[in-house]
Amino acid sequence: MEKQNQLNYNRIAEAIEYIKENFKLQPNLDEVAKKVNLSPSHFQKIFTEWAGISPKKFLQFISVEHAKKILKEQRATLFDTAFDTGLSSTSRLHDLFVNIEGMTPAEYKNGGKNLRINYSFAESPFGSVIVASTLKGICCMAFEDNEETALKNLQERFPNAMFRRKLDLMQQNALFIFQNDWSKLSEIRLHLKGTDFQLKIWESLLKIPMGSLSTYGGLARKIGNPNASRAVGTAIGSNPVAYLIPCHRVIQSTGNYGGYMWGNTRKTAIIGWEGVKIHS
């Protein structure tokens, strides 16, 4: 089942990449299905199962023009209001969202010495994911198809910690986000290793509503340092918790989606998926 899920995701990812490159031509169902070597009917079926909407409709959400349209309509007003009010009125998700607790200076400096970290692997709509937790909260979530590579990256982040492969309740609650079960999000804490500036940026990311986008410059203005766009980008690129901390919702001021630690195609897929969910 997991292999089939991964195969389907790979096909959908390839289809999305094709649509991204050719969206101005508005490729039809037959053209995209042919590109991924599937019959139109089968492609329509697995795409709809994966995204909850047809390929044609999905195209509207993942185009760059959609991103520009959101930014134009918001004119930063929606984001500003949402940020200042804690987002309680802009999304059914964010009034439940997580809290961040930074690691102590000692934990930060010694690479997680004396920390006990549980980790497990799971499937998400965007491929395989590793999720790890300490007694205080989720310390890592990352998209990674290779389990050995995922564990190696986690161990490099906390070189002196003790690791155990175990799915605990904290991880389960975090993974519910992919099932639209957000009832447990108020119970989630993030236990993160980062500088004060990084923690501040990651907290700001949590306040971008689902289905909305911001820019690097917009976040810099929100923290009171409008000239810090580059530093903001660096902090976003260091985000250790995929999806829960939604760095995928930050794009370039031109409307281009820009880079993403876990792949540009995956970023496009997530933005489109969220757009579908919030508008469905």
Side-chain angles (χ1 to χ4, degrees):
M1 186 63 177
E2 290 185 1
K3 289 184 178 180
Q4 186 61 48
N5 288 339
Q6 184 62 50
L7 178 60
N8 286 343
Y9 171 75
N10 290 340
R11 285 169 167 166
I12 298 306
E14 183 180 357
I16 288 171
E17 195 65 30
Y18 178 77
I19 293 171
K20 277 176 59 180
E21 294 174 358
N22 298 277
F23 75 94
K24 290 184 179 180
L25 301 176
Q26 291 294 293
N28 61 33
L29 178 66
D30 289 353
E31 291 171 321
V32 183
K34 182 178 180 181
K35 181 65 179 177
V36 295
N37 298 314
L38 292 173
S39 69
S41 60
H42 187 49
F43 173 64
Q44 173 97 354
K45 179 176 182 296
I46 66 170
F47 195 104
T48 302
E49 289 176 349
W50 182 85
I53 201 166
S54 69
K56 182 178 180 180
K57 188 67 174 177
F58 195 83
L59 170 60
Q60 298 174 11
F61 289 99
I62 68 170
S63 67
V64 172
E65 289 306 311
H66 173 66
K68 290 180 179 179
K69 179 173 179 288
I70 290 177
L71 291 176
K72 182 179 179 180
E73 289 178 349
Q74 288 181 184
R75 297 183 186 276
T77 302
L78 176 60
F79 179 59
D80 289 345
T81 302
F83 192 99
D84 293 337
T85 61
L87 306 133
S88 59
S89 62
T90 58
S91 169
R92 53 189 169 177
L93 173 59
H94 287 77
D95 58 347
L96 300 173
F97 228 128
V98 286
N99 296 310
I100 288 181
E101 177 176 324
M103 292 188 177
T104 66
E107 289 171 332
Y108 186 91
K109 290 180 180 179
N110 63 23
K113 186 178 181 180
N114 298 325
L115 279 180
R116 295 180 180 272
I117 296 178
N118 293 337
Y119 70 93
S120 61
F121 299 94
E123 289 298 316
S124 80
F126 315 109
S128 300
V129 64
I130 183 173
V131 58
S133 57
T134 69
L135 291 175
K136 293 183 178 180
I138 299 295
C139 62
C140 177
M141 183 182 286
F143 296 108
E144 178 57 65
D145 296 332
N146 185 290
E147 292 188 0
E148 290 185 5
T149 301
L151 178 58
K152 180 181 178 182
N153 291 339
L154 175 63
Q155 291 171 332
E156 288 177 352
R157 189 178 293 273
F158 301 98
N160 298 318
M162 294 169 281
F163 295 90
R164 177 174 59 168
R165 183 166 182 169
K166 178 184 178 182
L167 176 64
D168 57 31
L169 183 59
M170 196 173 302
Q171 295 168 28
Q172 289 177 319
N173 289 340
L175 291 169
F176 281 145
I177 194 171
F178 295 118
Q179 302 172 25
N180 284 4
D181 181 353
W182 299 326
S183 61
K184 301 293 186 181
L185 291 185
S186 59
E187 301 176 13
I188 297 175
R189 294 193 67 86
L190 302 177
H191 189 205
L192 302 182
K193 173 183 176 181
T195 65
D196 289 343
F197 182 79
Q198 287 174 326
L199 293 175
K200 189 173 185 178
I201 296 302
W202 298 340
E203 286 178 327
S204 297
L205 292 173
L206 289 173
K207 297 179 180 180
I208 305 175
M210 183 178 185
S212 296
L213 301 173
S214 184
T215 64
Y216 299 99
L219 282 180
R221 289 191 295 274
K222 289 285 71 174
I223 64 170
N225 193 344
N227 297 319
S229 294
R230 182 170 295 181
V232 167
T234 300
I236 289 173
S238 302
N239 172 26
V241 181
Y243 198 82
L244 273 174
I245 297 180
C247 58
H248 57 273
R249 295 178 192 154
V250 182
I251 66 173
Q252 297 173 356
S253 59
T254 60
N256 292 321
Y257 286 159
Y260 187 54
M261 186 189 310
W262 296 286
N264 293 357
T265 296
R266 183 174 275 116
K267 180 176 184 176
T268 303
I270 294 173
I271 291 173
W273 187 77
E274 289 191 335
V276 169
K277 295 296 182 183
I278 207 69
H279 289 89
S280 59

